[in-house]
Amino acid sequence: MIVNTCGFIDAAVAESLEAIAEALRENGKVVVTGCLGAKQGVVAQAHPSVLAITGPQDTDGVMQAVHQHLPKPHDPYVDLVPPQGVKLTPRHYAYLKISEGCNHRCTFCIIPSMRGDLVSRPLAQVMQEAENLVKAGVKELLIISQDTSAYGVDLKYRTGFWRGRPLKTRMSDLCQALGELGVWVRLHYVYPYPQVDDVIALMAEGRILPYLDIPFQHASPRILRLMKRPASSEKVLQRLRKWRELCPDITIRSTFIAGFPGETEREFEELLAFLEEAQLDRVGCFAYSPVEGAAANALPDPVPEPVKEARRRRFMETQARISAARLRAKIGSTLRVLVDEPGVGRTMGDAPEIDGVVHFKGGRDFPSVGEFADVLIERADEHDLHGRRL
């Protein structure tokens, strides 16, 4: 078995080590890859019986380990990998990675030390993969990277070609091209750079989904400076208002950190006040975790664990009320959903696995997984919508 791991925060390390243990119990022959493999000695100390340990993006290392312990016989049928490659998601949606690494040096993060600086994939290569996925039946492309809005910076926005026409290697041009494929296109991990405004215009035109996953992390100017984050709450609120004017149907998801070193009660209250004014649709919050190697660990005045957890809980209680109210506002409307399983689908405002779903009943011909359905929303709870298919 191959176990892909994450080594970003302590909780992810613990979960990865448990996944390795479970794989060893089930199979006994395990190859470990991913970010945790790059942390010297962590996996080997916890699970010395694994066959091999490789780092992130080390496909060759994984395959070498597999072939070393399981020689690969030639089979003309299974050796024919389809053009869209082999993916682990359901047939109707797929993740499309457009770059690797990050140029930021956020003090709570160790991704650049594990994955390096930003390396953007050539635009033609990204579009070729996207087209292959769509031809294979994918209805939704989820665009991911460590910093989606920085796409092409390392290439100085070099001109690429797709379908015979020139396009700049940058987020707005890429989104415009993806919007011509006739499928849902959803953006994740977007920094609040000025060029995001160009993408909002594409959302308003219906070219890509009116959905933005943008990690704000905090609202206090001092904490944001300590985090080395490129934003301020005042400017963020102004831009949120502008984005909603341009695209009233936009769904905005974000993540935040509670209990960052030095965070005072007043600064946490400032964060709660920001939530009330911002009225974000989907939000996650993590209590600060002192990741090994993160610069923030050296900051003074660490917040005690009970206080961090209490603040995280207060944060989520505040956001739960906001999210529930925003979902209730959808009652009585008819929404297009992409069916993930019988009677369960997602709207344009719901990414798989992290956002809510729509539970629905009714209709003579029940839609198959991967098909679209129109659902009249009849009620809502804190996370999900409920209705009947028209």
Side-chain angles (χ1 to χ4, degrees):
M1 296 179 72
I2 300 171
V3 178
N4 192 20
T5 61
C6 177
F8 181 34
I9 60 176
D10 292 346
V13 171
E15 186 176 343
S16 295
L17 292 175
E18 176 54 33
I20 296 169
E22 183 179 343
L24 286 169
R25 288 193 297 269
E26 290 185 8
N27 183 277
K29 298 179 180 180
V30 175
V31 174
V32 175
T33 188
C35 293
L36 189 58
K39 288 190 152 185
Q40 192 68 31
V42 174
V43 175
Q45 184 175 354
H47 300 294
S49 62
V50 298
L51 299 179
I53 302 169
T54 69
Q57 303 298 306
D58 188 9
T59 305
D60 291 340
V62 171
M63 295 310 300
Q64 288 174 9
V66 170
H67 293 156
Q68 178 183 349
H69 296 280
L70 182 66
K72 174 178 171 292
H74 176 72
D75 187 323
Y77 296 101
V78 301
D79 284 349
L80 296 176
V81 177
Q84 72 274 18
V86 178
K87 64 188 189 73
L88 303 179
T89 53
R91 184 173 183 267
H92 60 287
Y93 69 81
Y95 293 93
L96 180 62
K97 194 160 196 176
I98 63 173
S99 66
E100 185 64 61
C102 182
N103 289 341
H104 292 288
R105 294 298 183 265
C106 300
T107 57
F108 55 82
C109 181
I110 58 172
I111 285 177
S113 66
M114 300 173 72
R115 294 181 175 269
D117 288 335
L118 176 76
V119 178
S120 301
R121 295 177 62 193
L123 185 140
Q125 184 185 100
V126 173
M127 290 306 303
Q128 183 63 62
E129 181 179 350
E131 285 190 291
N132 289 341
L133 289 167
V134 172
K135 289 176 183 177
V138 166
K139 303 290 182 65
E140 178 182 11
L141 294 170
L142 299 109
I143 312 306
I144 59 170
S145 67
Q146 274 77 49
D147 181 0
T148 297
S149 39
Y151 175 66
V153 168
D154 56 311
L155 302 177
K156 298 181 179 178
Y157 305 118
R158 183 174 65 206
T159 299
F161 289 86
W162 178 62
R163 292 181 176 176
R165 74 174 194 263
L167 291 171
K168 292 287 188 181
T169 305
R170 61 186 175 197
M171 181 176 67
S172 57
D173 285 39
L174 176 62
C175 288
Q176 187 167 352
L178 290 169
E180 297 177 20
L181 298 180
V183 298
W184 280 8
V185 177
R186 190 182 304 277
L187 299 183
H188 287 279
Y189 315 124
V190 176
Y191 274 68
Y193 297 141
Q195 60 263 40
V196 175
D197 294 352
D198 298 331
V199 175
I200 303 298
L202 294 176
M203 295 179 182
E205 295 169 3
R207 305 277 188 101
I208 63 176
L209 290 183
Y211 180 99
L212 202 57
D213 176 9
I214 184 162
F216 294 126
Q217 306 297 10
H218 213 279
S220 162
R222 190 182 75 88
I223 295 298
L224 287 169
R225 285 194 297 271
L226 290 175
M227 290 179 168
K228 293 190 176 179
R229 295 288 297 178
S232 71
S233 58
E234 294 84 359
K235 291 181 180 179
V236 166
L237 290 170
Q238 291 173 9
R239 299 190 73 194
L240 288 175
R241 285 191 288 269
K242 180 180 179 181
W243 294 342
R244 285 166 173 157
E245 288 173 2
L246 290 171
C247 184
D249 293 331
I250 191 170
T251 295
I252 299 175
R253 149 172 278 281
S254 191
T255 52
F256 294 84
I257 296 174
F260 189 79
E263 181 190 64
T264 65
E265 178 63 23
R266 183 188 61 79
E267 288 167 330
F268 177 69
E269 292 285 350
E270 189 175 348
L271 176 55
L272 295 183
F274 171 84
L275 277 186
E276 296 284 3
E277 189 164 357
Q279 292 289 300
L280 303 175
D281 298 276
R282 303 288 191 181
V283 171
C285 181
F286 303 91
Y288 174 74
S289 175
V291 181
E292 183 181 352
N297 297 341
L299 293 173
D301 304 318
V303 179
E305 289 296 329
V307 176
K308 286 194 291 189
E309 183 54 35
R311 288 178 180 174
R312 186 200 67 81
R313 190 166 53 251
R314 288 166 58 196
F315 179 103
M316 292 309 298
E317 288 171 354
T318 300
Q319 180 58 41
R321 175 172 45 78
I322 294 170
S323 295
R326 295 189 69 82
L327 287 175
R328 283 196 301 272
K330 300 180 187 295
I331 295 174
S333 61
T334 299
L335 301 178
R336 188 83 159 159
V337 305
L338 179 59
V339 180
D340 285 333
E341 58 183 89
V344 180
R346 291 178 292 106
T347 71
M348 292 188 294
D350 300 306
E353 299 183 356
I354 58 173
D355 293 328
V357 297
V358 178
H359 300 274
F360 63 91
K361 299 179 180 179
R364 292 182 179 179
D365 301 321
F366 217 69
S368 302
V369 171
E371 292 183 353
F372 290 98
D374 293 321
V375 176
L376 175 63
I377 304 304
E378 297 176 321
R379 67 183 181 88
D381 56 36
E382 187 177 310
H383 300 288
D384 302 327
L385 297 170
H386 303 260
R388 58 184 173 87
R389 179 178 171 237
L390 297 179

